[in-house]
Amino acid sequence: MSPLTDIGANLTHASFRDDLDDVLARARAAGVATIVVTGTSVADSGAAALLAERHAGVYATAGVHPHHARDCDPATIPALRALAARPRVIALGECGLDFNRNYSTHLEQERCFVAQLELGIELGKPLFLHSRDAHPRFAEILHHYRPAKAVAHCFTGGQAELHAYLKLGLYIGITGWICDERRGRHLLELVHDIPPDRLLVETDAPYLAPRDLRPQPKSRRNEPAYLPHVLGTVARALGRTIDELAAQTARNASVLFGLPPADSAMAQ
Ligand SMILES: [Zn+2]
């Protein structure tokens, strides 16, 4: 199989503290050659950047998740700007809107999102975007700012939302949500609407372990080694081969994030 790229894994999460090297080794053994570690706060993004600097084939994003938007203060954007200058930090985010949990107010979320959008556009960095139950407001803001390169990570929405994002030029990240027979079924149909050159796959580890993994992992923790399972589900839904889709999604990730080809990342 062609080397895979997991465009979103929260490897700074505490659940990976004790066995990160094993997790990375299993990912590599499973064919996942490139991993983008998600930064969700200033401190966490610093940890993600360090992790990326220490491991071949690992990159990081720098951003503030909408859950943490209430912590955005005048020091946040300068801190993200400094992180974005580090060579393994390849995108701004994750940033966006989450009107499902509302850990921060909508106003706090919008301010923090817009500040990161402006920074990403100024720096010419792609944006790693999170949107949950925030359509159409999320699309309205993007329509105004129009980042040149961005991905709607962990897409779980419906058809209208998908088409709005595609019209905005977004890449679409598909997670193990598509393997969830209770709430992900609609995605098996919707993935047909995603142009092949805009499709990305991700685990969002440690969250969203595919529900149909057999045998079920003892811990409920998701990890990048399960990415081929997600990719296989997408390939079956699309009637494409796993190999074809692995190569396509890895190529898309390289284009979006400006990554070197996976083979050279592995050889580093
Ligand atoms: Zn997210």
Side-chain angles (χ1 to χ4, degrees), residues 125-204:
K125 288 258 184 192
L127 283 132
F128 189 92
L129 303 173
H130 172 105
S131 171
R132 183 122 187 248
D133 295 351
H135 186 64
R137 184 61 187 141
F138 176 77
E140 279 167 20
I141 292 174
L142 285 173
H143 186 75
H144 186 77
Y145 286 92
R146 287 282 178 165
K149 280 183 173 182
V151 52
H153 113 95
C154 191
F155 182 82
T156 58
Q159 190 169 40
E161 188 172 344
L162 176 66
H163 284 264
Y165 294 176
L166 290 173
K167 242 172 108 182
L168 288 162
L170 302 190
Y171 287 74
I172 306 294
I174 298 293
T175 59
W177 194 281
I178 196 171
C179 306
D180 185 333
E181 78 289 351
R182 303 163 309 170
R183 53 185 190 175
R185 222 165 236 294
H186 66 293
L187 293 175
L188 294 170
E189 280 302 315
L190 269 189
V191 285
H192 288 274
D193 291 6
I194 305 172
D197 63 352
R198 301 267 204 96
L199 176 66
L200 299 165
V201 287
E202 52 176 325
T203 56
D204 206 23

Side-chain angles (χ1 to χ4, degrees), residues 7-65:
I7 65 132
N10 300 276
L11 295 187
T12 58
H13 190 272
S15 64
F16 292 116
R17 198 173 291 150
D18 294 333
D19 65 344
L20 181 67
D21 287 336
D22 294 341
V23 168
L24 291 173
R26 280 197 293 273
R28 200 136 306 170
V32 182
T34 306
I35 300 172
V36 181
V37 177
T38 314
T40 59
S41 68
V42 168
D44 178 58
S45 299
L50 255 181
L51 204 156
E53 284 156 8
R54 287 181 180 154
H55 299 276
V58 178
Y59 299 88
T61 72
V64 178
H65 190 285

